[in-house]
Amino acid sequence: CDSINPQICYECENGSFLFNGDCTTICPSGYFANRISGVCEKCKVKSCENCSLNIDQCQKCESPNVLLFNTCIPSCPIGWRKIGITCEKCGVSDCDLCNSNVNTCDICKNGFFQLNENVCIDKCPNGTYVSQDGKSCVKCDYKCETCSNSWTCNICKKGYFLSRNNICVELCEYGQVGNTSTGRCVDCDQNCETCLPDNSKICTQCKENFLLL
């Protein structure tokens, strides 16, 4: 100890550690108990609360910081979620937010769409359309192969025809037939009231004041 002030210690007994001129058996938070030098040494990782195993390795950060790659940061970065005192990477590729569960995605990265809770994709597949908020893929009507939204089909599935209202129907409206080549409802030929189901140019009934030859 100091020759002038015996309260100031320079070296502690075995099993104790020197901290600010005093001897202690347990180093305070943010310090490492060096058993070789017998000194409490400040953790080398900034804002670290516990580095009891290694002065260079942080086990716990000062609140409210979280631990990521041996660094104490204010909050987990995008694509990670807080779990206890550390950060855990989202298990779904191209996911920005997975607070509910590490293996499901709440919000996909910008430019990606949530197909379901386990998949983020850069383009919504056939049979789906981009939601109004631009974040997810929504299923089209079951009769649509592709669609722009819930009420506008672009291409119908086999067995259905696209009506003038962009709805997929099994039977076209009166005066129209389903064109199997285009998948659309087409008008019967001029002056035709009705026509053959597979040929819009062959009339089966004429409009008023016209006769069928």
Side-chain angles (χ1 to χ4, degrees):
C1 61
D2 191 88
S3 58
I4 298 175
N5 187 349
Q7 299 298 320
I8 300 176
C9 189
Y10 294 135
E11 186 176 346
C12 298
E13 294 178 349
N14 190 30
S16 295
F17 304 93
L18 185 65
F19 178 71
N20 289 344
D22 289 325
C23 292
T24 178
T25 55
I26 300 175
C27 291
S29 294
Y31 286 81
F32 170 70
N34 191 323
R35 297 186 181 280
I36 296 175
S37 65
V39 176
C40 291
E41 299 177 2
K42 189 167 180 60
C43 298
K44 290 190 176 180
V45 176
K46 186 179 179 181
S47 302
C48 181
E49 182 180 304
N50 185 342
C51 61
S52 59
L53 300 179
N54 189 319
I55 193 171
D56 297 306
Q57 189 73 40
C58 188
Q59 284 89 54
K60 183 182 179 182
C61 298
E62 296 173 354
S63 182
N65 295 309
V66 288
L67 185 64
L68 178 64
F69 299 134
N70 199 38
T71 303
C72 294
I73 54 178
S75 60
C76 295
I78 291 173
W80 296 72
R81 72 167 190 148
K82 182 180 179 183
I83 178 167
I85 60 173
T86 187
C87 297
E88 182 179 34
K89 186 172 176 61
C90 297
V92 177
S93 298
D94 302 308
C95 180
D96 265 358
L97 187 66
C98 60
N99 282 343
S100 302
N101 187 306
V102 71
N103 294 316
T104 62
C105 188
D106 300 321
I107 300 176
C108 296
K109 286 182 179 178
N110 188 34
F112 287 81
F113 309 99
Q114 189 172 6
L115 181 61
N116 56 53
E117 63 181 12
N118 300 317
V119 179
C120 291
I121 55 177
D122 58 1
K123 183 180 179 181
C124 290
N126 284 351
T128 66
Y129 63 93
V130 179
S131 62
Q132 286 189 330
D133 62 9
K135 294 180 179 180
S136 61
C137 300
V138 183
K139 283 187 177 181
C140 299
D141 182 86
Y142 73 95
K143 294 173 286 189
C144 295
E145 188 70 33
T146 65
C147 64
S148 301
N149 47 52
S150 61
W151 61 87
T152 306
C153 283
N154 300 321
I155 301 174
C156 298
K157 289 183 178 179
K158 189 175 181 180
Y160 297 95
F161 303 98
L162 190 65
S163 72
R164 66 175 83 241
N165 297 321
N166 295 315
I167 297 171
C168 294
V169 295
E170 288 185 86
L171 295 174
C172 297
E173 63 184 70
Y174 192 74
Q176 289 189 322
V177 291
N179 187 313
T180 54
S181 298
T182 63
R184 293 175 173 269
C185 292
V186 294
D187 292 330
C188 293
D189 209 20
Q190 188 178 14
N191 302 323
C192 274
E193 188 74 19
T194 61
C195 50
L196 287 179
D198 57 352
N199 195 328
S200 62
K201 296 186 179 298
I202 300 178
C203 284
T204 55
Q205 183 181 338
C206 295
K207 290 182 178 178
E208 189 176 358
N209 298 325
F210 289 89
L211 298 174
L212 186 64
L213 296 177

